[in-house]
């Protein structure tokens, strides 16, 4: 199971050590003590799972979260956000958390296991190009909006073809009825 890499990004050595102890044996646990180290490990190691502290030195957990949400390849990685201050998380990311899990510090092994399972299920349900869940993300939301507009235009064109076909059928039906009434 060494192919299962779990990246724990937290400035607390105690939290990183506790998470490592709580996980079943056989997982390769990578550790980062700040945001910059964490984002570098994400790109270098391609982890299968990320546990991310929200408040970090050098680069915040929120900045890493935004980066994960902006790249389709990174969006697919199951994520558990960790924080001792849920209100700081919900001030920037609105609930319900659709594509990741949140765990409040301190936590026990069962809470950790449940959060991991939940985040894995949420990651599987995520569409290939899900819109960012970050409030106030300008560049990301404009890209997502352009994609949504293109998708909507395609749907409108398809619906217009269906409407035209229905109009034609209705015209044929009306003609048929008129002939029968004569």
């Amino acid at each position: 199971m060494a192919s299962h890499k779990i990246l724990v990004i937290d400035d607390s050595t105690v939290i990183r050590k506790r998470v490592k102890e709580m996980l079943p044996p056989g997982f390769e646990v990578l550790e980062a003590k700040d945001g910059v180290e964490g984002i570098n490990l994400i790109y270098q190691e391609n982890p299968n799972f990320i546990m991310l502290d929200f408040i970090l030195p050098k680069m915040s957990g929120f900045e890493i979260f935004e980066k994960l949400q902006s790249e389709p390849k990174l969006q697919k990685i199951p994520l558990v956000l960790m924080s001792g201050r849920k209100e700081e998380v919900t001030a920037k990311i609105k609930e319900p958390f659709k594509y990741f899990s949140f765990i409040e510090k301190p936590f026990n092994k069962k809470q950790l296991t449940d959060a991991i399972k939940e985040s894995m299920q949420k990651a599987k349900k995520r569409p290939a190009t899900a819109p960012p869940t970050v409030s106030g993300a300008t560049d990301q939301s404009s890209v997502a909006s352009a994609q949504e507009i293109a998708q909507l235009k395609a749907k409108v064109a398809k619906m217009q073809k269906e409407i035209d076909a229905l109009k034609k059928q209705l015209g044929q039906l009306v003609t048929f009825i008129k002939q029968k009434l004569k």
Side-chain angles (χ1 to χ4, degrees):
M1 246 193 202
S3 64
H4 291 336
K5 296 179 187 176
I6 295 180
L7 174 58
V8 182
I9 308 171
D10 199 302
D11 55 331
S12 167
T13 307
V14 173
I15 294 292
R16 291 193 314 267
K17 185 178 178 183
R18 291 236 339 122
V19 168
K20 196 171 186 174
E21 290 170 354
M22 289 181 193
L23 292 171
F27 286 94
E28 181 181 351
V29 180
L30 308 169
E31 298 179 38
K33 64 184 176 302
D34 61 58
V36 172
E37 187 178 344
I39 199 73
N40 288 337
L41 280 173
I42 289 170
Y43 287 111
Q44 291 168 6
E45 297 292 333
N46 298 313
N48 304 95
F49 192 88
I50 299 172
M51 296 200 59
L52 175 63
D53 186 15
F54 200 69
I55 302 168
L56 292 167
K58 297 186 181 178
M59 180 181 203
S60 74
F62 181 66
E63 291 172 300
I64 294 172
F65 175 81
E66 287 182 308
K67 190 75 172 158
L68 295 172
Q69 300 310 303
S70 69
E71 295 185 32
K73 179 184 171 193
L74 300 179
Q75 288 177 356
K76 297 175 186 175
I77 303 171
L79 172 69
V80 172
L81 265 180
M82 306 179 288
S83 181
R85 301 182 206 136
K86 187 175 183 178
E87 64 278 356
E88 288 187 20
V89 175
T90 56
K92 292 189 176 189
I93 307 168
K94 303 300 177 205
E95 290 188 273
F97 303 130
K98 194 170 182 179
Y99 299 116
F100 66 94
S101 295
F102 175 81
I103 189 169
E104 196 161 4
K105 294 180 191 177
F107 49 83
N108 61 37
K109 186 174 183 172
K110 183 183 181 334
Q111 291 168 320
L112 176 64
T113 304
D114 290 347
I116 290 171
K117 287 178 184 175
E118 178 186 22
S119 69
M120 292 177 97
Q121 290 171 347
K122 287 180 175 183
K124 286 178 187 173
K125 293 178 184 175
R126 183 179 198 126
T129 55
T133 56
V134 180
S135 59
T138 54
D139 293 341
Q140 297 168 7
S141 61
S142 63
V143 169
S145 295
Q147 290 173 344
E148 289 173 4
I149 289 170
Q151 289 173 348
L152 289 172
K153 284 182 178 180
K155 284 182 181 179
V156 167
K158 182 181 175 187
M159 290 172 73
Q160 187 61 52
K161 286 180 183 178
E162 291 173 1
I163 290 170
D164 292 342
L166 288 171
K167 282 181 180 178
K168 183 178 177 183
Q169 289 175 354
L170 182 61
Q172 291 171 344
L173 186 60
V174 168
T175 304
F176 176 76
I177 293 171
K178 284 180 179 178
Q179 288 175 353
K180 290 294 178 179
L181 290 175
K182 288 183 182 180

